Amino acid sequence: MENDLPGNTVVRLSQYRRLLEKYKYLDEPYIFSHDLARMLDVKAVQVRHDLMLLGISGDRRKGYSVTALIDKISEKIDRPEQNIILVGLGRLGMSLVKYLKDSNARLDVAAAFDIDPAKINHSCEGISCSSITNLPDYVRQHDTTIAILAIPPEDVNDILPILLDAGIKGILNYTSEHLAVPDNVFVRNVDMLTFLEEIAYFTNS
Amino acid sequence: MENDLPGNTVVRLSQYRRLLEKYKYLDEPYIFSHDLARMLDVKAVQVRHDLMLLGISGDRRKGYSVTALIDKISEKIDRPEQNIILVGLGRLGMSLVKYLKDSNARLDVAAAFDIDPAKINHSCEGISCSSITNLPDYVRQHDTTIAILAIPPEDVNDILPILLDAGIKGILNYTSEHLAVPDNVFVRNVDMLTFLEEIAYFTNS
């Protein structure tokens, strides 16, 4: 499948869809691009440009059909079902599993792995936790491509090569460590320290 | 103080500094811009442009002084010490507090607030948790401007007005909800679902 959209566009389309799903739930059949823009703090011209990419146009008086927008966004950004694993079932990992379960997301964690014997063979929100030594077999058997990394930073050097060797191609990185990965592996870093420094910069002027 | 840098630039400068602090720790006195670029998956021209903003130039043979870069970045992006509060001391909230403590960050959580009586008056990593009803007084007394929001999405409508009325100006939002805030409040959303959808898009092509 084509993946020719820039990352930021995919992120915005995903955010539009989340908001549109609330509209759908409230039985609102139409929405204006400027309402989407206002609610997501995006410029209206940016929203219209993004929606144009979907090949969909709004009615001048009523706006865009909510269900049509959701369908078009899904067609554009969704990929065949992917198996996601969680690596590191500490407090953060457990809260992430619970969050995904609660949000009824299309994407879901299928299995968890840890190095801590106290966690192995336990389960969290219906997800069982196995030893990291079982990860390569699991990934091969289930054709898994995505891992959420929620391990302590000092374990990254030991764990990352296991993920890469097993064939993981996308990592959501909750450690504050930089991950050195080949070009064909996509990493999204979620680094609280950087976010807090950015917020501090913009709130104390 | 001036806060005339775009958000993405602040984020990159923060990331450079984190990496530079590791170099400093390893007693590496110099670094080349292309090494910074490579390690952070940023284009080298972007790094050089960012470093030019700092008014610092590298030595052609040795590169940039690591300590000088750290000092210049700190001068540019750091703000006087800010008091950060955590709202919501569930699993996620607790893992965030622990993460900040472990990372010896300059920014730290000073107090936590929750609505759950089971959590109030307990403490986590040395941070005591008070009732949300005490938040406005605390914020005024400690001149707090930044809050980390780690509450269940269904509580956002009740809790957000309390933060805004109390005078919070920056929010790190771990709920998946869109926060409607006035223009003078800065919000950074950390939305796992959006990140996972982006990763899925780029790893299954």
Side-chain angles (χ1 to χ4, degrees):
Chain A
M1 293 178 83
E2 284 179 50
N3 59 356
D4 52 356
L5 296 177
N8 290 339
T9 307
V10 177
V11 165
R12 282 195 306 274
L13 291 175
S14 162
Q15 288 168 337
Y16 299 158
R17 179 167 62 178
R18 197 87 50 76
L19 198 62
L20 291 164
E21 275 160 357
K22 280 180 200 153
Y23 262 67
K24 188 177 164 189
Y25 179 76
L26 296 171
D27 278 332
E28 293 276 359
Y30 292 95
I31 190 169
F32 286 104
S33 57
H34 57 79
D35 286 326
L36 267 177
R38 186 176 41 81
M39 283 184 281
L40 291 171
D41 294 322
V42 177
K43 293 207 172 81
V45 60
Q46 177 77 72
V47 173
R48 282 192 292 273
H49 179 260
D50 291 337
L51 300 187
M52 233 153 52
L53 290 176
L54 301 172
I56 191 170
S57 54
D59 178 294
R60 196 170 295 178
R61 285 188 310 135
K62 294 192 288 186
Y64 292 85
S65 154
V66 169
T67 52
L69 276 185
I70 292 174
D71 291 348
K72 282 286 179 182
I73 292 174
S74 302
E75 204 177 280
K76 193 81 183 174
I77 70 172
D78 284 349
R79 294 294 175 257
E81 204 179 323
Q82 279 162 308
N83 206 352
I84 300 177
I85 56 170
L86 170 72
V87 182
L89 194 63
R91 273 179 185 158
L92 174 63
M94 283 195 269
S95 73
L96 297 176
V97 168
K98 182 167 189 320
Y99 175 82
L100 274 180
K101 286 273 163 198
D102 288 351
S103 61
N104 290 311
R106 211 179 52 84
L107 297 165
D108 214 345
V109 171
F113 298 90
D114 208 296
I115 51 170
D116 179 358
K119 287 169 196 153
I120 294 165
N121 294 327
H122 285 252
S123 73
C124 169
E125 305 282 332
I127 308 293
S128 69
C129 184
S130 311
S131 164
I132 196 89
T133 56
N134 299 328
L135 186 147
D137 280 346
Y138 180 92
V139 165
R140 270 186 282 274
Q141 281 162 19
H142 296 81
D143 202 15
T144 305
T145 51
I146 299 176
I148 301 172
L149 197 59
I151 58 177
E154 59 269 25
D155 292 342
V156 167
N157 285 341
D158 292 334
I159 302 293
L160 181 60
I162 299 175
L163 300 188
L164 297 178
D165 287 348
I168 290 294
K169 294 285 179 258
I171 301 175
L172 183 54
N173 176 26
Y174 278 90
T175 80
S176 56
E177 294 295 298
H178 169 69
L179 306 184
V181 300
D183 282 346
N184 65 340
V185 176
F186 181 89
V187 175
R188 165 60 73 176
N189 296 304
V190 184
D191 187 339
M192 181 167 59
L193 294 180
T194 289
F195 293 143
L196 283 177
E197 288 179 355
E198 183 197 14
I199 291 175
Y201 180 82
F202 284 109
T203 55
N204 197 336
S205 52
Chain B
M1 292 179 84
E2 283 179 51
N3 60 356
D4 51 356
L5 297 176
N8 290 340
T9 307
V10 178
V11 166
R12 283 194 305 275
L13 290 175
S14 163
Q15 288 169 338
Y16 299 157
R17 180 168 62 180
R18 196 88 47 77
L19 198 62
L20 290 165
E21 275 160 357
K22 281 182 198 150
Y23 262 67
K24 189 178 165 188
Y25 180 77
L26 296 170
D27 278 331
E28 293 277 358
Y30 293 94
I31 190 168
F32 286 104
S33 57
H34 57 79
D35 286 326
L36 267 176
R38 184 176 44 78
M39 282 184 281
L40 291 171
D41 296 323
V42 176
K43 292 207 171 79
V45 61
Q46 176 78 72
V47 173
R48 281 191 293 272
H49 179 260
D50 291 336
L51 300 188
M52 234 155 48
L53 290 176
L54 301 173
I56 191 169
S57 54
D59 178 295
R60 194 170 296 178
R61 285 186 311 133
K62 294 192 288 187
Y64 292 84
S65 156
V66 168
T67 52
L69 275 184
I70 291 174
D71 291 348
K72 282 285 179 184
I73 292 174
S74 303
E75 205 177 281
K76 193 83 184 172
I77 69 171
D78 284 349
R79 294 294 173 257
E81 204 178 321
Q82 279 161 310
N83 206 352
I84 299 177
I85 57 170
L86 170 72
V87 182
L89 194 64
R91 271 177 185 161
L92 174 63
M94 283 196 269
S95 73
L96 297 175
V97 168
K98 182 167 190 318
Y99 175 83
L100 273 181
K101 286 274 164 199
D102 289 351
S103 60
N104 289 312
R106 210 180 53 85
L107 297 166
D108 213 345
V109 170
F113 298 90
D114 209 296
I115 52 170
D116 180 357
K119 286 167 196 154
I120 295 165
N121 295 326
H122 285 253
S123 73
C124 169
E125 304 282 332
I127 308 294
S128 70
C129 183
S130 311
S131 163
I132 196 90
T133 56
N134 299 327
L135 187 146
D137 279 346
Y138 180 92
V139 165
R140 270 186 282 271
Q141 281 162 19
H142 296 82
D143 203 15
T144 306
T145 50
I146 299 177
I148 300 173
L149 196 59
I151 58 178
E154 59 270 24
D155 293 341
V156 167
N157 285 340
D158 292 333
I159 303 294
L160 180 61
I162 299 175
L163 300 187
L164 297 178
D165 287 347
I168 290 295
K169 294 283 178 257
I171 301 175
L172 182 54
N173 176 26
Y174 278 90
T175 79
S176 56
E177 294 294 299
H178 168 69
L179 306 184
V181 299
D183 282 348
N184 65 339
V185 176
F186 182 89
V187 175
R188 166 60 75 177
N189 297 304
V190 185
D191 187 340
M192 181 167 59
L193 295 179
T194 289
F195 293 143
L196 283 177
E197 288 181 355
E198 183 196 14
I199 292 175
Y201 180 83
F202 285 110
T203 55
N204 196 337
S205 52

